Amino acid sequence: MTYKESFIKFMVDSGVLTFGEFTLKSGRKAPYFINAGNYKTGAQLAKLGEYYAECIKDNNIAVETLFGPAYKGIPLAVSATVALFNKFGTSVNYCFDRKEAKDHGEGGTFVGRALTDGEKVVVIIEDVMTSGKALREVLPKLKSAADVNVTGMVITVDRMEKALDSDKSAVQSAYDEFGVRVYSIVTIKDIIGAIESGVIEGKEYLDSMKNYLEQYGAQY
């Protein structure tokens, strides 16, 4: 089983990936739903970090520091940093931001690595990417700390879905708008393939998933 197939099974076993009929925030009715809030245990977080590490290595993403946006990205950046060392012997830094600047003690907006000009930073977020909002909020914060080189952003699943106001996906738009390449551990096409090959159950949803992608999918 590839790490992508293993991750898809992990999402199903964790109750993160489910099938049925779901009304999304966009108003679209989708035959699947991803709820990263169902990761709840230390064992799940450790495994999730390993999948992020696999994605970083598999795509040869240049990285010196992993950045986890507050709040959900914080444990993910930490777990991915640990996994990169434990699994691949690669030691990188991590840092995260505060929602509000600390006005006492060491002060500042960032915790962990003090960023420097030219530093290769990869942004970690925990979920699918439905808009460029996270990146739009994060980049000015990073650039205010130092002139860092954001070499990528890592998400769990690329839905490969057109935005409401564009024929491009959020992943494609992020590159066009910010010049930042977004990498995903898996895509919706990987999930469809995992069902077809029997890695996970759900063959009864294949037609609706393919129809949904045909209707809303962006051209890759």
Side-chain angles (χ1 to χ4, degrees):
M1 190 181 296
T2 67
Y3 84 89
K4 291 177 181 289
E5 291 172 333
S6 175
F7 177 64
I8 292 166
K9 187 175 186 304
F10 169 70
M11 284 195 292
V12 171
D13 291 344
S14 301
V16 169
L17 171 60
T18 53
F19 302 98
E21 184 175 304
F22 306 92
T23 301
L24 305 181
K25 189 175 182 180
S26 64
R28 295 171 180 170
K29 293 190 181 299
Y32 70 96
F33 188 67
I34 297 163
N35 179 11
N38 280 340
Y39 294 124
K40 299 183 178 78
T41 70
Q44 289 171 334
L45 187 59
K47 287 297 294 181
L48 190 55
E50 289 183 5
Y51 292 121
Y52 276 111
E54 290 272 14
C55 181
I56 290 167
K57 284 296 185 180
D58 188 45
N59 289 285
N60 295 312
I61 307 173
V63 58
E64 294 172 297
T65 298
L66 293 182
F67 174 76
Y71 293 103
K72 292 181 178 180
I74 296 172
L76 300 174
V78 173
S79 63
T81 302
V82 172
L84 278 169
F85 180 73
N86 286 341
K87 197 172 181 69
F88 298 106
T90 300
S91 182
V92 301
N93 309 300
Y94 79 91
C95 73
F96 58 89
D97 61 328
R98 295 184 172 99
K99 288 289 188 181
E100 297 177 355
K102 187 177 180 183
D103 60 1
H104 60 280
E106 78 280 10
T109 304
F110 289 85
V111 180
R113 168 72 176 179
L115 299 174
T116 59
D117 291 349
E119 189 162 351
K120 297 179 177 66
V121 174
V122 171
V123 178
I124 300 289
I125 65 171
E126 94 292 355
D127 215 334
V128 297
M129 189 177 186
T130 54
S131 71
K133 181 181 177 182
L135 202 52
R136 195 171 288 109
E137 291 176 349
V138 159
L139 284 179
K141 288 185 178 182
L142 290 171
K143 290 293 186 178
S144 70
D147 186 18
V148 297
N149 177 14
V150 180
T151 54
M153 185 175 197
V154 184
I155 62 176
T156 54
V157 180
D158 181 1
R159 297 178 64 97
M160 306 180 77
E161 194 171 316
K162 289 184 287 190
L164 293 177
D165 57 353
S166 169
D167 285 336
K168 294 181 178 181
S169 72
V171 166
Q172 293 169 325
S173 296
Y175 184 75
D176 289 347
E177 186 175 351
F178 307 110
V180 174
R181 194 170 298 281
V182 179
Y183 302 87
S184 63
I185 301 174
V186 297
T187 69
I188 186 57
K189 288 186 176 179
D190 293 324
I191 294 172
I192 289 172
I195 295 173
E196 290 175 330
S197 62
V199 171
I200 58 172
E201 300 294 325
K203 285 187 168 60
E204 65 271 29
Y205 299 106
L206 277 174
D207 286 344
S208 57
M209 291 181 72
K210 291 177 179 178
N211 290 339
Y212 184 83
L213 194 58
E214 178 69 25
Q215 182 176 2
Y216 296 115
Q219 294 298 316
Y220 274 63

